[in-house]
């Protein structure tokens, strides 16, 4: 038997197993997650695994955000959603396997997902279909359209029904609701979104005296250099769109790269520094020990902060809430 024939047989077998397993799946893991997720963080009732009362009928046929037809033969129970684990946890659901950068998964979610195996996206490349297939998912969620252009979608859709977002982390209101609908968790999605919005409004009120009319920038260090985090998503979105910091003209520009030569142009009243898992130590030292850095007004005013945790480099209601709480603790004390 050739390798290609073997893979085809494996894919067919997995799809049959996934269909039979739908409705059984990882309910035990999901229950454990729901019990660990505190209602003050996500808006879920701790210990509750009950979904919204209006369950969809199956088989179910729908289209994803890229226009691809998705057929769900039964309620999904074993979910593979790389980079969308935050939303799953917010809904009280455990993925069948979680994304890993190659060295570690999203650390801020490990209180809930420590018992969930991880799968490596080494060098940013998604795992081969065989590695995903071994976990027998019955639904795959891909967080952006790049997965179609790269050919990943064509491979993964052979394993299980696969839903592709245009850019899930750029519109959490929409993507959380979509995932809630796909998983029969619409009520949980609305509750999580409402609780998050209440948290944002309370934080904005508390922080208003400190940030009114002020600009903020986030500088990320890793093994490749120094970079600005844009205001489109992740912690940049939180600071600009949720808390109300004004955008720096430099950060809003086209280039995300930062150099010491361009540093004097940085028009930010507050600067947040994040070292990606300690991989950017040399670049952080180069910046913070430079004379130009020490001469900056934000530094002189004591408005530069080193922040820790990969939630600053992640998208989702839980990550965003943690960023908000970090900012409150740093500038409202």
């Amino acid at each position: 038997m050739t390798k290609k024939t073997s893979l085809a047989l494996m894919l067919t077998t997995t799809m049959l197993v996934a269909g039979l397993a739908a409705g059984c799946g990882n309910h035990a893991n999901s229950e454990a997650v729901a019990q660990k997720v505190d209602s003050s963080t996500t808006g879920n009732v701790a210990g509750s695994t009950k979904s919204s009362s209006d369950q969809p009928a199956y088989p179910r046929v729908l289209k994803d955000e890229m226009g691809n037809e998705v057929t769900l033969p039964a309620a999904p129970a074993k979910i593979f959603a790389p980079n969308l684990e935050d939303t799953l946890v917010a809904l009280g659901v455990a993925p069948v396997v979680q994304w890993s950068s190659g060295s570690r998964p999203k650390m801020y979610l490990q209180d809930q997902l420590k018992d969930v195996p991880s799968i490596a996206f080494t060098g940013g490349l998604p795992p081969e279909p065989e590695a995903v297939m071994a976990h027998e998912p019955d639904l795959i969620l891909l967080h952006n359209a790049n997965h179609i252009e790269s050919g990943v979608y064509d491979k993964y859709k052979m394993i299980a029904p696969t839903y592709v977002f245009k850019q899930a982390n750029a519109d959490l209101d929409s993507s959380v609701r979509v995932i809630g609908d796909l998983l029969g968790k619409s009520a949980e999605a609305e509750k999580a979104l409402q609780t998050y919005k209440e948290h944002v409004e309370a934080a904005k009120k508390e922080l208003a005296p400190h940030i009114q009319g002020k600009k903020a920038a986030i500088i990320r260090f890793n093994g490749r250099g120094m970079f600005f985090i844009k205001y489109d998503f992740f912690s940049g979105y939180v600071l600009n769109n949720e808390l109300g910091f004004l955008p720096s003209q430099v950060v809003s520009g086209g280039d995300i790269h930062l150099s010491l030569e361009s540093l004097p142009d940085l028009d930010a009243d507050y600067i947040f520094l994040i070292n990606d898992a300690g991989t950017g130590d040399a670049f952080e030292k180069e910046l913070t020990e430079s004379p130009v850095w020490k001469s900056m007004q934000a530094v002189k005013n004591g408005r530069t902060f080193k922040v820790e945790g990969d939630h600053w480099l992640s998208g989702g209601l839980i990550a965003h809430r943690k960023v908000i709480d970090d900012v409150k603790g740093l500038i409202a004390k």
Side-chain angles (χ1 to χ4, degrees):
M1 181 180 295
T2 67
K3 183 177 180 181
K4 187 173 293 186
T5 302
S6 176
L7 174 58
L9 287 172
M10 290 174 69
L11 285 169
T12 303
T13 302
T14 298
M15 292 173 71
L16 288 172
V17 171
L20 292 171
C24 301
N26 64 341
H27 291 307
N29 280 343
S30 293
E31 183 175 357
V33 169
Q35 290 171 345
K36 291 178 182 178
V37 177
D38 189 270
S39 60
S40 65
T41 301
T42 66
N44 292 328
V45 178
S48 172
T49 57
K50 185 176 291 186
S51 299
S52 52
S53 57
D54 296 328
Q55 293 295 312
Y58 296 93
R60 186 181 181 196
V61 181
L62 63 156
K63 288 191 175 181
D64 67 16
E65 291 187 356
M66 302 307 296
N68 303 304
E69 188 172 282
V70 183
T71 300
L72 301 177
K78 300 177 72 175
I79 319 301
F80 175 48
N83 272 313
L84 291 170
E85 291 90 353
D86 188 303
T87 294
L88 295 187
V89 172
L91 301 181
V93 175
V96 68
V97 61
Q98 61 179 318
W99 172 95
S100 168
S101 65
S103 58
R104 61 180 191 173
K106 294 182 183 296
M107 298 307 296
Y108 74 95
L109 293 175
Q110 293 316 295
D111 285 350
Q112 293 82 25
L113 300 183
K114 63 181 177 64
D115 296 324
V116 175
S118 61
I119 190 167
F121 280 60
T122 308
L125 298 175
E128 288 299 318
E130 294 87 348
V132 176
M133 189 166 47
H135 297 278
E136 300 182 354
D138 54 25
L139 176 64
I140 298 174
L141 303 175
L142 299 178
H143 74 291
N144 68 41
N146 292 337
H147 292 296
I148 290 182
E149 299 170 6
S150 67
V152 171
Y153 167 75
D154 287 332
K155 296 177 182 178
Y156 283 7
K157 71 178 182 180
M158 299 297 294
I159 301 171
T162 300
Y163 187 102
V164 185
F165 291 89
K166 288 182 180 178
Q167 181 52 268
N169 290 325
D171 187 352
L172 285 179
D173 274 10
S174 174
S175 62
V176 169
R177 288 190 173 100
V178 168
I179 294 174
D181 175 61
L182 288 169
L183 303 185
K185 296 273 188 178
S186 291
E188 290 86 342
E190 293 300 329
K191 178 68 173 176
L193 286 167
Q194 180 61 32
T195 301
Y196 172 72
K197 288 175 183 177
E198 291 171 358
H199 191 73
V200 170
E201 291 305 313
K204 285 175 67 175
K205 184 176 180 179
E206 181 179 347
L207 290 169
H210 305 277
I211 68 177
Q212 189 84 36
K214 298 293 192 298
K215 298 180 180 181
I218 306 169
I219 300 174
R220 174 186 184 179
F221 307 95
N222 61 26
R224 294 178 290 112
M226 302 179 282
F227 309 88
F228 291 120
I229 292 183
K230 292 288 193 174
Y231 300 122
D232 303 282
F233 41 79
F234 299 162
S235 48
Y237 180 90
V238 175
L239 267 58
N240 186 232
N241 293 278
E242 302 286 48
L243 296 181
F245 282 102
L246 297 177
S248 158
Q249 294 304 308
V250 173
V251 179
S252 297
D255 191 8
I256 65 170
H257 293 82
L258 171 67
S259 65
L260 293 182
E261 291 75 19
S262 63
L263 194 60
D265 296 326
L266 180 57
D267 53 333
D269 302 285
Y270 290 92
I271 303 174
F272 299 87
L273 308 175
I274 180 164
N275 190 331
D276 193 351
T279 59
D281 288 345
F283 291 105
E284 181 181 4
K285 182 177 181 180
E286 178 186 4
L287 177 71
T288 57
E289 292 186 359
S290 67
V292 65
W293 170 260
K294 294 175 182 178
S295 70
M296 295 184 67
Q297 204 60 45
V299 178
K300 292 179 178 179
N301 291 338
R303 290 178 174 173
T304 63
F305 306 100
K306 184 173 181 178
V307 294
E308 304 286 348
D310 56 359
H311 53 281
W312 280 78
L313 303 173
S314 302
L317 299 181
I318 299 173
H320 288 190
R321 182 164 179 159
K322 286 180 174 290
V323 170
I324 289 170
D325 290 343
D326 285 349
V327 174
K328 284 169 52 181
L330 290 169
I331 72 175
K333 56 188 177 182

